Amino acid sequence: MSANPASNLTNKPEGKPVLKPASLRHNEIIALFRQHGFMTMEALAEHFAVTTQTIRRDINALCDADILRRRHGGAELILSARNQPYDMRRINNLEQKAEIGAAVARLIPNACSVLIGIGTTPEQVALALAKHDHLTVITNNLRAALALSTNQNNQVIVPGGTLRFPNPEILGNDADKLFRNFRADFGIYGVGGVDTDGTLLDFDRMESSSRQALRESCRTQILVTDNSKFGRQAPVRGGHLSDPDILVTDSPLNPTLAAMLAGNTRVVVTSQADAGADEEHETAAIAAGK
């Protein structure tokens, strides 16, 4: 991310600066704090091979944006029970999410049924699936529905209910019931965070309930998450990293999490996806008939 925090800040209506998600280094700093909780200025400067003065400017910007708080010798992550706004989340780590979407699209054959859950990474999956033909898609993610509706060969089914403004999502009993009315070939879902023990976390119970309904209603579960979700805290627990049949992410897992999944969940890392494209097509054909 840019080393100049002033160029990466805008103003809230009340005049308080908010970090724009355009700064790559700031995103990487946040990911480190999600992993470690507290870090010193010296450790951060060594990690990024920059001066402590540069890191101090970055930390000041993140503290002003209410993401970190200063502590003696360093800073710590401010844990929040609320998620970031959807439009901010959808451009955070956008390149990584788009790569995840493309990798999932290689796993999905034409003419199958797919459940797609809420969140910005499932939206990227839907965008990548838009060129597929004769899909039956059931989703409570309105951005995903609109992306797939551009191809009129696809059938897109959405639930009734109340829009969860400002998020383009429908949550609640009606949406959960819609998922449970189907037995789809694939179910694709994201997550608010992944704890260090592999527990999947969300920001409210309706999100967790929606994911559970989706998981129960498909033959092959695919969890999609970029590396920023690992170590990210959220208050509601629901499921485990070892639950899905396939995990698609943008960077290798740490050894502890990888050991939890060994022999149970197939891990697709997007940096290795091109080399394994043929294997993925074969896996998709097998999974569709599971």
Side-chain angles (χ1 to χ4, degrees):
M1 306 176 193
S2 168
N4 181 8
S7 67
N8 293 317
L9 296 176
T10 186
N11 286 326
K12 294 180 182 176
E14 67 271 28
K16 185 157 187 174
V18 176
L19 182 70
K20 285 185 179 178
S23 168
L24 181 59
R25 189 168 72 233
H26 285 175
N27 281 343
E28 293 173 353
I29 289 171
I30 293 167
L32 286 172
F33 275 96
R34 284 174 178 156
Q35 181 178 357
H36 299 288
F38 170 83
M39 293 195 72
T40 65
M41 301 292 183
E42 290 75 15
L44 286 165
E46 181 178 356
H47 178 88
F48 290 102
V50 297
T51 66
T52 54
Q53 288 81 2
T54 296
I55 287 297
R56 189 168 288 108
R57 287 195 294 270
D58 291 337
I59 295 303
N60 287 341
L62 292 167
C63 288
D64 289 342
D66 293 328
I67 296 172
L68 304 179
R69 69 166 60 92
R70 297 171 187 84
R71 276 181 48 191
H72 179 69
E76 65 183 359
L77 186 68
I78 297 175
L79 299 180
S80 174
R82 299 182 62 186
N83 205 353
Q84 292 178 320
Y86 191 95
D87 285 339
M88 177 177 287
R89 286 184 282 124
R90 75 192 300 250
I91 55 177
N92 281 341
N93 301 319
L94 180 58
E95 181 179 352
Q96 293 92 327
K97 292 175 182 177
E99 290 172 352
I100 290 170
V104 174
R106 290 194 290 269
L107 292 168
I108 306 295
N110 291 321
C112 69
S113 53
V114 185
L115 308 178
I116 298 180
I118 64 171
T120 59
T121 309
E123 178 191 349
Q124 289 300 317
V125 175
L127 288 166
L129 284 172
K131 293 182 180 179
H132 280 46
D133 286 323
H134 305 296
L135 296 177
T136 297
V137 178
I138 303 93
T139 182
N140 57 344
N141 184 331
L142 298 188
R143 289 269 173 80
L146 289 172
L148 286 154
S149 68
T150 59
N151 183 344
Q152 296 185 11
N153 289 321
N154 294 325
Q155 180 184 25
V156 181
I157 302 168
V158 296
T162 303
L163 181 66
R164 191 171 71 146
F165 185 80
N167 297 327
E169 305 159 347
I170 299 173
L171 292 174
N173 291 335
D174 289 340
D176 293 355
K177 187 181 297 184
L178 178 67
F179 281 146
R180 290 193 168 102
N181 283 339
F182 289 85
R183 183 64 170 169
D185 297 312
F186 297 93
I188 299 163
Y189 59 94
V191 66
V194 182
D195 212 341
T196 54
D197 64 355
T199 299
L200 303 184
L201 303 172
D202 283 300
F203 287 88
D204 66 54
R205 288 185 292 178
M206 287 194 299
E207 293 176 349
S208 181
S209 175
S210 175
R211 183 173 67 247
Q212 181 62 25
L214 184 153
R215 288 184 50 235
E216 292 174 359
S217 306
C218 63
R219 296 183 176 88
T220 299
Q221 301 176 32
I222 302 177
L223 170 61
V224 292
T225 182
D226 67 87
N227 69 83
S228 70
K229 301 296 179 65
F230 291 97
R232 185 188 191 201
Q233 297 299 302
V236 180
R237 54 188 296 153
H240 192 270
L241 192 63
S242 61
D243 291 336
D245 301 289
I246 304 171
L247 166 66
V248 183
T249 187
D250 61 310
S251 59
L253 301 179
N254 68 49
T256 301
L257 291 179
M260 294 177 187
L261 306 189
N264 184 57
T265 299
R266 182 186 168 203
V267 180
V268 175
V269 179
T270 55
S271 59
Q272 305 163 356
D274 289 339
D278 291 340
E279 180 186 352
E280 288 169 10
H281 283 300
E282 181 180 353
T283 298
I286 294 171
K290 185 175 176 180

